[in-house]
Amino acid sequence: MCKDCGCTIAPHTHEHSHSHSHEEHPNPQLNDPKTIEVITKILDVNDTQAAHNREHFEKHGALAVNLMSSPGSGKTTLLEATIDHGGIKLGVIEGDLETNQDADRIKAKGAVAHQITTGQACHLDAHMVHDGLHHMPIDGLDVVFVENVGNLVCPASYDVGTHLNVVLLSVPEGDDKPAKYPVMFRAADVLLITKCDLLPYFDFDVEKAIKETRKLNPKVDVIEIDSKSGQGIDKWVSYLQMKKALR
Amino acid sequence: MHEFSIVQDLLYMCEKNAKDNSATKVTKVEVKIGKLSGVEPHLLQIAFDTFKEKTICDGAEFCIHHQDLVVRCTMCGKETILEKNTFACPHCDGAVEVLDGEDMYLMKLEME
Ligand SMILES: Nc1nc2c(ncn2[C@@H]2O[C@H](COP(=O)(O)OP(=O)(O)OP(=O)(O)O)[C@@H](O)[C@H]2O)c(=O)[nH]1
Ligand SMILES: [Mg+2]
Ligand SMILES: [Zn+2]
Ligand SMILES: [Zn+2]
């Protein structure tokens, strides 16, 4: 039972499956084999929880942002730079396989954070984020970030109940990643090309990366960022403020 | 490798449907896996075969339908199967909306 909102969705009980069996009256003495049409999304339980998480964010007037990328693309560094820039009150739900290091980095900057350690799971799901929400005060925050587990595959399949998917692609990873990981780059509302200070040292073609991403995802917005010098952080913060204002 | 997590959700769903239908055994599970669902059918098969033991799906046949990407053009209205991951109409280059191929569905259950 969720104290905060009185909801009854307990983590991972899977009781809220909304399968619609077409059998109205189950036969109590079922002996013969029978086939039923189910036609339910396999992630239905997750999606129901995700919708509930969104209600949480909305009740608190917070914009929720899902940050996804490969390991080490600069998600936590971007959040640090965002806090340093000022202008947004933010909190972070951190997802990692192990350690509290990322949450500690955020707290050291003076923002609230809660670490989820997933152990084996290579992605966050809506239940884990819901759990995280009840461990962190989100009242008064403008933006709640969910820093997903570093992984360009699995997190793309899970709606965690955020409003925006932000995908980071760092210069050292190469401009071929959008074409190689189509599901992730298709899920992006915003593409952040990070570590742009390293462009002189890598064969990374920014135009090509953008073109490839827009083949998959014609409406995606793009911001080029260097979290070390702060280049692009202004634009990023303005973008978040605009999105927050529209919620 | 989230195929294992997906299979756990799938098994719960099978249990629930079996219970709702007073069945004691699921003999066949049919799913539809979109080409761009982010799930590898081959890994899903392995995960299902590994986890089905000692569940209501023990011994069940697992049948995967591979779903192509089907889109409809918002300009000319034509429906097309996209071969490449370029989300534009092959006929007129118009913007497209996806009709199928991005999700995973449980379709049918055979039980007794
Ligand atoms: N040169 C340069 N290095 C960066 C930039 N942003 C991050 N880094 C470095 O990249 C490394 C990884 O950065 P993190 O912010 O920890 O990356 P992450 O995406 O949070 O990593 P995980 O949470 O482990 O997936 C660190 O050594 C950062 O200092 C940047 O803009 N420029
Ligand atoms: Mg991090
Ligand atoms: Zn995975
Ligand atoms: Zn067309």
Short mmCIF file of all heavy atoms in Angstrom, two decimals, chain A residues 121-165:
data_model
loop_
_atom_site.label_atom_id
_atom_site.label_comp_id
_atom_site.label_asym_id
_atom_site.label_seq_id
_atom_site.Cartn_x
_atom_site.Cartn_y
_atom_site.Cartn_z
N ALA A 121 19.57 -6.55 -12.35
CA ALA A 121 18.73 -6.00 -13.41
C ALA A 121 19.42 -4.85 -14.13
O ALA A 121 19.96 -3.94 -13.52
CB ALA A 121 17.39 -5.55 -12.84
N CYS A 122 19.40 -4.92 -15.43
CA CYS A 122 20.14 -3.98 -16.26
C CYS A 122 19.30 -2.78 -16.67
O CYS A 122 19.62 -2.07 -17.60
CB CYS A 122 20.59 -4.73 -17.51
SG CYS A 122 19.30 -5.82 -18.10
N HIS A 123 18.18 -2.57 -15.99
CA HIS A 123 17.30 -1.44 -16.31
C HIS A 123 16.49 -1.12 -15.06
O HIS A 123 16.40 -1.94 -14.15
CB HIS A 123 16.35 -1.85 -17.43
CG HIS A 123 15.50 -3.04 -17.05
ND1 HIS A 123 15.88 -4.34 -17.29
CD2 HIS A 123 14.32 -3.11 -16.38
CE1 HIS A 123 14.96 -5.17 -16.80
NE2 HIS A 123 14.02 -4.45 -16.24
N LEU A 124 15.90 0.06 -15.02
CA LEU A 124 14.93 0.37 -13.98
C LEU A 124 13.54 0.08 -14.54
O LEU A 124 13.29 0.32 -15.72
CB LEU A 124 15.00 1.85 -13.59
CG LEU A 124 16.26 2.30 -12.86
CD1 LEU A 124 16.21 3.82 -12.63
CD2 LEU A 124 16.43 1.57 -11.54
N ASP A 125 12.65 -0.43 -13.69
CA ASP A 125 11.26 -0.54 -14.13
C ASP A 125 10.40 0.39 -13.27
O ASP A 125 10.88 1.03 -12.33
CB ASP A 125 10.77 -1.99 -14.12
CG ASP A 125 10.71 -2.60 -12.73
OD1 ASP A 125 10.53 -1.86 -11.74
OD2 ASP A 125 10.85 -3.83 -12.63
N ALA A 126 9.13 0.47 -13.61
CA ALA A 126 8.24 1.44 -12.96
C ALA A 126 8.08 1.14 -11.46
O ALA A 126 7.91 2.06 -10.67
CB ALA A 126 6.88 1.44 -13.66
N HIS A 127 8.17 -0.13 -11.09
CA HIS A 127 8.03 -0.48 -9.67
C HIS A 127 9.22 0.03 -8.85
O HIS A 127 9.06 0.54 -7.75
CB HIS A 127 7.90 -1.98 -9.48
CG HIS A 127 6.63 -2.54 -10.06
ND1 HIS A 127 6.56 -2.99 -11.35
CD2 HIS A 127 5.39 -2.65 -9.54
CE1 HIS A 127 5.31 -3.39 -11.59
NE2 HIS A 127 4.59 -3.19 -10.51
N MET A 128 10.41 -0.12 -9.40
CA MET A 128 11.59 0.35 -8.68
C MET A 128 11.54 1.87 -8.51
O MET A 128 11.89 2.40 -7.45
CB MET A 128 12.87 -0.01 -9.46
CG MET A 128 13.07 -1.49 -9.71
SD MET A 128 14.60 -1.70 -10.66
CE MET A 128 14.33 -3.29 -11.43
N VAL A 129 11.10 2.56 -9.55
CA VAL A 129 11.04 4.02 -9.47
C VAL A 129 9.97 4.44 -8.46
O VAL A 129 10.16 5.38 -7.69
CB VAL A 129 10.78 4.64 -10.87
CG1 VAL A 129 10.45 6.12 -10.77
CG2 VAL A 129 12.00 4.43 -11.76
N HIS A 130 8.89 3.73 -8.42
CA HIS A 130 7.83 4.02 -7.45
C HIS A 130 8.37 3.90 -6.03
O HIS A 130 8.13 4.76 -5.17
CB HIS A 130 6.65 3.05 -7.66
CG HIS A 130 5.49 3.33 -6.75
ND1 HIS A 130 5.13 2.48 -5.73
CD2 HIS A 130 4.63 4.37 -6.68
CE1 HIS A 130 4.07 2.98 -5.10
NE2 HIS A 130 3.75 4.13 -5.65
N ASP A 131 9.10 2.82 -5.81
CA ASP A 131 9.76 2.61 -4.53
C ASP A 131 10.66 3.79 -4.19
O ASP A 131 10.63 4.32 -3.08
CB ASP A 131 10.62 1.35 -4.68
CG ASP A 131 10.56 0.50 -3.43
OD1 ASP A 131 9.46 0.39 -2.87
OD2 ASP A 131 11.63 -0.02 -3.06
N GLY A 132 11.46 4.21 -5.16
CA GLY A 132 12.36 5.33 -4.98
C GLY A 132 11.61 6.61 -4.63
O GLY A 132 12.06 7.40 -3.78
N LEU A 133 10.45 6.80 -5.24
CA LEU A 133 9.65 8.00 -5.00
C LEU A 133 9.24 8.13 -3.55
O LEU A 133 9.06 9.24 -3.03
CB LEU A 133 8.38 7.95 -5.85
CG LEU A 133 8.52 8.39 -7.28
CD1 LEU A 133 7.21 8.22 -8.03
CD2 LEU A 133 8.93 9.85 -7.29
N HIS A 134 9.08 6.99 -2.89
CA HIS A 134 8.65 7.03 -1.50
C HIS A 134 9.81 7.14 -0.53
O HIS A 134 9.64 7.12 0.67
CB HIS A 134 7.79 5.81 -1.19
CG HIS A 134 6.43 5.94 -1.82
ND1 HIS A 134 5.50 6.84 -1.37
CD2 HIS A 134 5.89 5.34 -2.90
CE1 HIS A 134 4.43 6.75 -2.13
NE2 HIS A 134 4.64 5.86 -3.07
N HIS A 135 11.02 7.21 -1.10
CA HIS A 135 12.19 7.39 -0.26
C HIS A 135 12.79 8.78 -0.43
O HIS A 135 13.88 9.06 0.04
CB HIS A 135 13.25 6.34 -0.58
CG HIS A 135 12.92 5.00 0.00
ND1 HIS A 135 12.25 4.03 -0.69
CD2 HIS A 135 13.16 4.49 1.23
CE1 HIS A 135 12.09 2.97 0.07
NE2 HIS A 135 12.63 3.22 1.25
N MET A 136 12.09 9.61 -1.18
CA MET A 136 12.68 10.92 -1.48
C MET A 136 11.58 11.97 -1.44
O MET A 136 10.54 11.79 -2.05
CB MET A 136 13.31 10.86 -2.87
CG MET A 136 14.34 11.92 -3.11
SD MET A 136 15.07 11.70 -4.74
CE MET A 136 13.85 12.50 -5.77
N PRO A 137 11.82 13.08 -0.72
CA PRO A 137 10.81 14.13 -0.71
C PRO A 137 10.80 14.84 -2.06
O PRO A 137 11.83 15.37 -2.49
CB PRO A 137 11.30 15.09 0.39
CG PRO A 137 12.77 14.83 0.51
CD PRO A 137 13.03 13.43 0.06
N ILE A 138 9.66 14.83 -2.75
CA ILE A 138 9.67 15.50 -4.05
C ILE A 138 8.84 16.78 -4.06
O ILE A 138 8.79 17.47 -5.07
CB ILE A 138 9.23 14.56 -5.21
CG1 ILE A 138 7.80 14.08 -5.05
CG2 ILE A 138 10.16 13.38 -5.35
CD1 ILE A 138 7.31 13.32 -6.29
N ASP A 139 8.23 17.08 -2.92
CA ASP A 139 7.47 18.32 -2.83
C ASP A 139 8.37 19.52 -3.08
O ASP A 139 9.47 19.59 -2.55
CB ASP A 139 6.86 18.45 -1.42
CG ASP A 139 5.34 18.31 -1.49
OD1 ASP A 139 4.79 18.52 -2.59
OD2 ASP A 139 4.73 17.99 -0.46
N GLY A 140 7.92 20.43 -3.90
CA GLY A 140 8.69 21.64 -4.14
C GLY A 140 9.77 21.50 -5.19
O GLY A 140 10.45 22.48 -5.52
N LEU A 141 9.95 20.30 -5.73
CA LEU A 141 10.96 20.15 -6.78
C LEU A 141 10.36 20.54 -8.14
O LEU A 141 9.19 20.30 -8.41
CB LEU A 141 11.45 18.70 -6.87
CG LEU A 141 12.18 18.13 -5.66
CD1 LEU A 141 12.63 16.70 -5.95
CD2 LEU A 141 13.40 19.00 -5.31
N ASP A 142 11.20 21.15 -8.99
CA ASP A 142 10.77 21.46 -10.35
C ASP A 142 10.88 20.22 -11.23
O ASP A 142 10.00 19.92 -12.02
CB ASP A 142 11.65 22.55 -10.97
CG ASP A 142 11.58 23.86 -10.20
OD1 ASP A 142 10.46 24.22 -9.78
OD2 ASP A 142 12.63 24.51 -10.02
N VAL A 143 12.01 19.55 -11.10
CA VAL A 143 12.29 18.41 -11.98
C VAL A 143 12.79 17.23 -11.15
O VAL A 143 13.67 17.39 -10.30
CB VAL A 143 13.36 18.76 -13.05
CG1 VAL A 143 13.55 17.60 -14.01
CG2 VAL A 143 12.98 20.03 -13.82
N VAL A 144 12.23 16.05 -11.39
CA VAL A 144 12.76 14.82 -10.81
C VAL A 144 13.41 14.03 -11.95
O VAL A 144 12.76 13.70 -12.94
CB VAL A 144 11.66 13.96 -10.15
CG1 VAL A 144 12.25 12.64 -9.65
CG2 VAL A 144 10.99 14.72 -9.01
N PHE A 145 14.70 13.79 -11.80
CA PHE A 145 15.41 12.98 -12.80
C PHE A 145 15.45 11.53 -12.35
O PHE A 145 15.63 11.25 -11.16
CB PHE A 145 16.85 13.47 -12.96
CG PHE A 145 16.97 14.77 -13.70
CD1 PHE A 145 17.06 15.97 -13.01
CD2 PHE A 145 16.99 14.79 -15.09
CE1 PHE A 145 17.17 17.17 -13.69
CE2 PHE A 145 17.11 15.99 -15.78
CZ PHE A 145 17.20 17.18 -15.08
N VAL A 146 15.30 10.65 -13.31
CA VAL A 146 15.57 9.24 -13.07
C VAL A 146 16.81 8.94 -13.89
O VAL A 146 16.77 9.00 -15.12
CB VAL A 146 14.39 8.36 -13.53
CG1 VAL A 146 14.75 6.88 -13.39
CG2 VAL A 146 13.12 8.69 -12.74
N GLU A 147 17.95 8.72 -13.21
CA GLU A 147 19.15 8.33 -13.97
C GLU A 147 19.13 6.83 -14.10
O GLU A 147 19.34 6.09 -13.13
CB GLU A 147 20.45 8.80 -13.29
CG GLU A 147 21.64 8.41 -14.18
CD GLU A 147 23.03 8.71 -13.62
OE1 GLU A 147 23.19 9.68 -12.84
OE2 GLU A 147 23.96 7.96 -13.97
N ASN A 148 18.85 6.35 -15.30
CA ASN A 148 18.68 4.92 -15.52
C ASN A 148 20.03 4.20 -15.48
O ASN A 148 21.09 4.84 -15.53
CB ASN A 148 17.99 4.69 -16.87
CG ASN A 148 16.94 3.59 -16.79
OD1 ASN A 148 17.24 2.49 -16.32
ND2 ASN A 148 15.74 3.89 -17.23
N VAL A 149 20.00 2.89 -15.41
CA VAL A 149 21.21 2.09 -15.46
C VAL A 149 21.87 2.30 -16.82
O VAL A 149 21.20 2.33 -17.85
CB VAL A 149 20.85 0.59 -15.27
CG1 VAL A 149 22.09 -0.28 -15.35
CG2 VAL A 149 20.11 0.38 -13.97
N GLY A 150 23.18 2.48 -16.81
CA GLY A 150 23.91 2.68 -18.07
C GLY A 150 23.78 1.46 -18.96
O GLY A 150 24.30 0.39 -18.64
N ASN A 151 23.06 1.63 -20.09
CA ASN A 151 22.74 0.48 -20.94
C ASN A 151 21.91 1.03 -22.10
O ASN A 151 20.92 1.72 -21.88
CB ASN A 151 21.90 -0.50 -20.10
CG ASN A 151 21.44 -1.73 -20.85
OD1 ASN A 151 21.36 -1.75 -22.07
ND2 ASN A 151 21.13 -2.78 -20.11
N LEU A 152 22.34 0.76 -23.32
CA LEU A 152 21.62 1.32 -24.48
C LEU A 152 20.50 0.40 -24.99
O LEU A 152 19.90 0.69 -26.01
CB LEU A 152 22.59 1.60 -25.63
CG LEU A 152 23.29 2.96 -25.66
CD1 LEU A 152 24.14 3.09 -26.92
CD2 LEU A 152 22.30 4.12 -25.58
N VAL A 153 20.29 -0.72 -24.30
CA VAL A 153 19.29 -1.67 -24.79
C VAL A 153 18.05 -1.71 -23.89
O VAL A 153 17.00 -1.18 -24.23
CB VAL A 153 19.89 -3.09 -24.95
CG1 VAL A 153 18.87 -4.05 -25.51
CG2 VAL A 153 21.12 -3.03 -25.83
N CYS A 154 18.20 -2.34 -22.73
CA CYS A 154 17.04 -2.71 -21.92
C CYS A 154 16.18 -1.54 -21.43
O CYS A 154 14.95 -1.63 -21.46
CB CYS A 154 17.49 -3.56 -20.76
SG CYS A 154 18.64 -4.84 -21.29
N PRO A 155 16.78 -0.44 -20.93
CA PRO A 155 15.92 0.62 -20.39
C PRO A 155 14.90 1.15 -21.40
O PRO A 155 13.84 1.63 -21.02
CB PRO A 155 16.92 1.72 -19.98
CG PRO A 155 18.17 0.97 -19.69
CD PRO A 155 18.20 -0.12 -20.73
N ALA A 156 15.19 1.02 -22.68
CA ALA A 156 14.30 1.55 -23.71
C ALA A 156 12.94 0.86 -23.72
O ALA A 156 11.95 1.41 -24.18
CB ALA A 156 14.94 1.43 -25.09
N SER A 157 12.87 -0.35 -23.21
CA SER A 157 11.61 -1.10 -23.23
C SER A 157 10.68 -0.76 -22.07
O SER A 157 9.53 -1.17 -22.06
CB SER A 157 11.88 -2.61 -23.20
OG SER A 157 12.53 -3.02 -24.37
N TYR A 158 11.19 -0.03 -21.08
CA TYR A 158 10.40 0.20 -19.87
C TYR A 158 9.98 1.65 -19.69
O TYR A 158 10.81 2.54 -19.55
CB TYR A 158 11.21 -0.24 -18.63
CG TYR A 158 11.32 -1.74 -18.55
CD1 TYR A 158 12.33 -2.40 -19.24
CD2 TYR A 158 10.41 -2.49 -17.83
CE1 TYR A 158 12.42 -3.79 -19.21
CE2 TYR A 158 10.49 -3.86 -17.78
CZ TYR A 158 11.50 -4.51 -18.48
OH TYR A 158 11.58 -5.88 -18.44
N ASP A 159 8.68 1.86 -19.67
CA ASP A 159 8.14 3.16 -19.27
C ASP A 159 8.26 3.21 -17.75
O ASP A 159 7.74 2.34 -17.06
CB ASP A 159 6.67 3.23 -19.72
CG ASP A 159 6.03 4.58 -19.37
OD1 ASP A 159 6.71 5.44 -18.78
OD2 ASP A 159 4.84 4.74 -19.69
N VAL A 160 8.98 4.21 -17.23
CA VAL A 160 9.11 4.29 -15.76
C VAL A 160 8.19 5.37 -15.19
O VAL A 160 8.20 5.63 -14.00
CB VAL A 160 10.57 4.51 -15.31
CG1 VAL A 160 11.42 3.30 -15.63
CG2 VAL A 160 11.16 5.77 -15.91
N GLY A 161 7.40 5.98 -16.04
CA GLY A 161 6.41 6.95 -15.56
C GLY A 161 6.88 8.39 -15.63
O GLY A 161 6.29 9.27 -15.03
N THR A 162 7.95 8.62 -16.39
CA THR A 162 8.46 9.97 -16.56
C THR A 162 7.72 10.65 -17.72
O THR A 162 6.95 10.01 -18.43
CB THR A 162 9.98 9.94 -16.84
OG1 THR A 162 10.23 8.89 -17.79
CG2 THR A 162 10.75 9.64 -15.58
N HIS A 163 7.98 11.94 -17.91
CA HIS A 163 7.34 12.68 -19.00
C HIS A 163 8.21 12.79 -20.23
O HIS A 163 7.73 12.99 -21.33
CB HIS A 163 6.99 14.11 -18.55
CG HIS A 163 6.10 14.15 -17.35
ND1 HIS A 163 6.53 14.56 -16.11
CD2 HIS A 163 4.80 13.81 -17.21
CE1 HIS A 163 5.52 14.49 -15.25
NE2 HIS A 163 4.47 14.04 -15.89
N LEU A 164 9.52 12.73 -20.02
CA LEU A 164 10.45 12.94 -21.12
C LEU A 164 11.56 11.89 -21.09
O LEU A 164 12.11 11.59 -20.03
CB LEU A 164 11.19 14.28 -20.93
CG LEU A 164 10.59 15.58 -21.39
CD1 LEU A 164 11.60 16.70 -21.11
CD2 LEU A 164 10.23 15.56 -22.87
N ASN A 165 11.90 11.37 -22.25
CA ASN A 165 13.06 10.51 -22.37
C ASN A 165 14.22 11.31 -22.95
O ASN A 165 14.13 11.84 -24.05
CB ASN A 165 12.79 9.34 -23.33
CG ASN A 165 11.94 8.26 -22.70
OD1 ASN A 165 11.89 8.12 -21.48
ND2 ASN A 165 11.27 7.49 -23.53
#
